[in-house]
């Protein structure tokens, strides 16, 4: 995996070096990081901006080393290569395995980290794209079962171990960046960062407000124009929030005139054909930041697989729980659907060609 970090030194470093006062509305540090197979941008404000930004990068690097499926020494690679035997793993992987099991159960299998062998058959792990035969998919689908991941105690209390079912492997790509964003919230609190904008490649964390006191503006890419980064379906205005987008436009290949994207339906083994072009999940980055960041990442994938009606039913069913979230759904028939909690914080791009609908909690499903 290519690893490169480009550092853009902000004015905060210069001011700190001169010993003068630091204006939290101007002082900032921006770091561009290439990790987890995506480009990331970490922008922090305040007197301790440099230390906070580099500490956030350290978290990303550590998680990549531990949880990447393509790094042979990672906990995930060792677990995948163990042939069903128990492997001692770190707390990060153990936490994500527990959360993945819970989220899989909640979504009735629409989110499942054990779909990895199926995704590999399509070539999305190695970029060697192909359309597998139905016979091959039928065989691999027998391995897709999140309940077969077993969490146990190792030889001592300090050596937790987990195991997979025979032939299984896992991929945390649909959950790890959300988890990283949740951990970065802890860094922002520790370093007393007043405002920050963290973009982990489709996983956005906005902290505080913009320097002018207004909410951060988070653009939602127009799935119909993926090559134009300035083409938006709309804009969300958020503070202290996560916003995670998944869409079939993000990674795909074409064969015999048909497009195949990377979001696999664990029930069929094929790219999800749900009528949705993208799903954005937003939730507060408050006291439950670690769980909410992880949840947003997983839900964006699961709800894309579910499709419009089931996704909205799922949203309504979860509004009375401890971790409320909101949605922006972009459909393949050129509609943008915004759930009630975001209605006054979303602006449709007038040039997008989409129509906008708002749904409420009370709306009968």
């Amino acid at each position: 995996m290519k690893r490169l970090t480009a550092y853009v030194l902000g004015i905060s470093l210069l001011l700190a070096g001169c010993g003068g006062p630091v204006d939290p509305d101007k002082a900032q540090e921006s770091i561009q990081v290439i990790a987890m197979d995506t480009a990331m941008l970490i922008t922090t404000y305040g007197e301790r901006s440099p230390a906070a930004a580099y500490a956030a990068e350290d978290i990303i690097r550590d998680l990549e080393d531990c949880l990447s499926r393509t790094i042979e020494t990672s906990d995930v690679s060792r677990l995948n290569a163990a042939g069903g035997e128990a492997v001692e793993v770190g707390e990060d992987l153990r936490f994500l395995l527990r959360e993945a099991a819970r989220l899989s159960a909640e979504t009735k299998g629409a989110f499942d980290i054990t779909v990895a062998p199926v995704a590999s058959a399509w070539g999305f792990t190695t970029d060697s794209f192909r359309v597998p035969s139905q016979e091959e998919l039928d065989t691999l689908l027998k391995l897709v079962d999140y309940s077969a991941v077993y969490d146990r105690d190792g030889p001592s209390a300090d050596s937790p171990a987990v195991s997979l079912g025979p032939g299984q492997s896992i991929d945390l790509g649909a959950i790890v960046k959300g988890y990283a964003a949740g951990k970065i919230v802890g860094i922002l609190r520790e370093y007393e960062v007043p405002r920050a904008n963290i973009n982990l490649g489709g996983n956005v964390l906005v902290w505080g407000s913009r320097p002018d006191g207004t909410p951060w503006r988070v653009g939602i890419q127009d799935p119909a124009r993926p090559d134009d980064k300035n083409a938006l379906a709309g804009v969300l205005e958020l503070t202290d929030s996560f916003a995670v987008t998944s869409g079939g436009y993000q990674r795909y290949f074409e064969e015999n005139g048909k497009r195949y994207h990377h979001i696999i339906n664990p029930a069929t083994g094929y790219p999800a054909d749900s009528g949705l072009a993208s799903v954005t999940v937003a939730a507060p980055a408050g006291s439950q930041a670690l769980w909410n960041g992880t949840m947003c990442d997983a839900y964006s994938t699961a709800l894309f697989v579910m499709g419009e009606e089931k996704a909205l039913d799922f949203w309504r069913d979860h509004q009375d729980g401890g971790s409320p979230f909101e949605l922006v759904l972009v459909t393949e028939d050129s509609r943008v659907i915004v759930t009630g909690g975001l209605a006054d914080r979303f602006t449709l791009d007038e040039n997008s060609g989409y129509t906008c609908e708002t749904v409420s909690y009370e709306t009968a499903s």
Side-chain angles (χ1 to χ4, degrees), residues 205-285:
L205 162 64
V206 290
W207 188 250
S209 61
R210 294 198 299 176
D212 63 3
T214 61
W216 293 99
R217 293 171 57 81
V218 179
I220 296 176
Q221 177 72 41
D222 182 355
R225 296 176 289 171
D227 295 329
D228 183 355
K229 298 305 179 184
N230 295 318
L232 303 178
V235 175
L236 283 170
E237 296 185 349
L238 300 172
T239 58
D240 295 329
S241 297
F242 301 102
V244 181
T245 299
S246 292
Y249 66 92
Q250 294 171 327
R251 194 175 186 189
Y252 62 89
F253 71 95
E254 294 183 357
E255 185 171 306
N256 297 325
K258 186 172 182 179
R259 178 177 292 193
Y260 300 93
H261 61 75
H262 74 291
I263 303 178
I264 303 298
N265 184 338
T268 67
Y270 280 86
D273 184 13
S274 65
L276 293 176
S278 76
V279 172
T280 299
V281 182

Side-chain angles (χ1 to χ4, degrees), residues 11-331:
I11 192 172
S12 62
L13 185 58
L14 299 176
L15 291 174
C18 295
V22 176
D23 184 344
D25 292 338
K26 294 181 179 179
Q28 67 178 46
E29 185 79 5
S30 289
I31 302 178
Q32 188 178 46
V33 180
I34 306 299
M36 299 180 182
D37 203 28
T38 193
M40 304 178 177
L41 184 63
I42 301 168
T43 303
T44 54
Y45 292 72
E47 184 174 358
R48 304 176 71 187
S49 294
Y54 299 134
E57 183 193 6
D58 287 342
I59 283 179
I60 293 168
R61 297 296 188 198
D62 289 345
L63 290 178
E64 182 177 42
D65 289 342
C66 172
L67 303 175
S68 172
R69 188 183 175 192
T70 58
I71 296 177
E72 291 184 0
T73 55
S74 75
D75 281 1
V76 167
S77 291
R78 292 190 302 105
L79 182 61
N80 286 344
E85 296 296 321
V87 174
E88 295 182 10
V89 301
E91 184 53 36
D92 286 314
L93 178 53
R94 204 176 191 196
F95 174 89
L96 283 176
L97 291 177
R98 291 194 297 264
E99 283 300 289
R102 179 182 66 81
L103 292 163
S104 294
E106 279 189 351
T107 62
K108 295 181 171 58
F111 171 81
D112 194 326
I113 60 174
T114 65
V115 77
V118 179
S120 293
W122 287 90
F124 286 112
T125 303
T126 60
D127 289 339
S128 301
F129 304 122
R130 57 186 283 267
V131 179
S133 68
Q134 186 61 56
E135 181 180 6
E136 181 180 2
L137 290 177
D138 289 341
T139 299
L140 293 174
L141 282 171
K142 297 176 183 177
L143 304 175
V144 180
D145 180 7
Y146 66 88
S147 67
V149 180
Y150 186 44
D151 189 346
R152 70 190 77 186
D153 290 330
S156 70
D158 296 327
S159 58
V162 296
S163 63
L164 304 178
Q168 283 190 317
S169 61
I170 62 170
D171 189 327
L172 300 178
I175 193 172
V176 68
K177 289 192 289 294
Y179 177 61
K183 295 195 77 169
I184 288 173
V185 169
I187 292 294
L188 301 179
R189 290 194 177 111
E190 178 183 351
Y191 287 86
E192 300 178 330
V193 172
R195 63 188 88 258
N197 190 326
I198 316 292
N199 190 331
L200 306 184
N203 284 250
V204 174
L205 162 64
V206 290
W207 188 250
S209 61
R210 294 198 299 176
D212 63 3
T214 61
W216 293 99
R217 293 171 57 81
V218 179
I220 296 176
Q221 177 72 41
D222 182 355
R225 296 176 289 171
D227 295 329
D228 183 355
K229 298 305 179 184
N230 295 318
L232 303 178
V235 175
L236 283 170
E237 296 185 349
L238 300 172
T239 58
D240 295 329
S241 297
F242 301 102
V244 181
T245 299
S246 292
Y249 66 92
Q250 294 171 327
R251 194 175 186 189
Y252 62 89
F253 71 95
E254 294 183 357
E255 185 171 306
N256 297 325
K258 186 172 182 179
R259 178 177 292 193
Y260 300 93
H261 61 75
H262 74 291
I263 303 178
I264 303 298
N265 184 338
T268 67
Y270 280 86
D273 184 13
S274 65
L276 293 176
S278 76
V279 172
T280 299
V281 182
S287 60
Q288 301 294 317
L290 193 62
W291 287 267
N292 281 1
T294 305
M295 172 195 73
C296 285
D297 205 358
Y299 279 178
S300 67
T301 298
L303 301 187
F304 184 94
V305 171
M306 290 183 191
E308 176 184 339
E309 291 187 10
K310 290 184 179 179
L312 293 175
D313 286 344
F314 186 88
W315 167 73
R316 293 187 184 98
D317 289 343
H318 286 74
Q319 290 311 293
D320 292 333
S323 299
F325 60 93
E326 302 292 338
L327 303 175
V328 178
L329 310 179
V330 181
T331 71

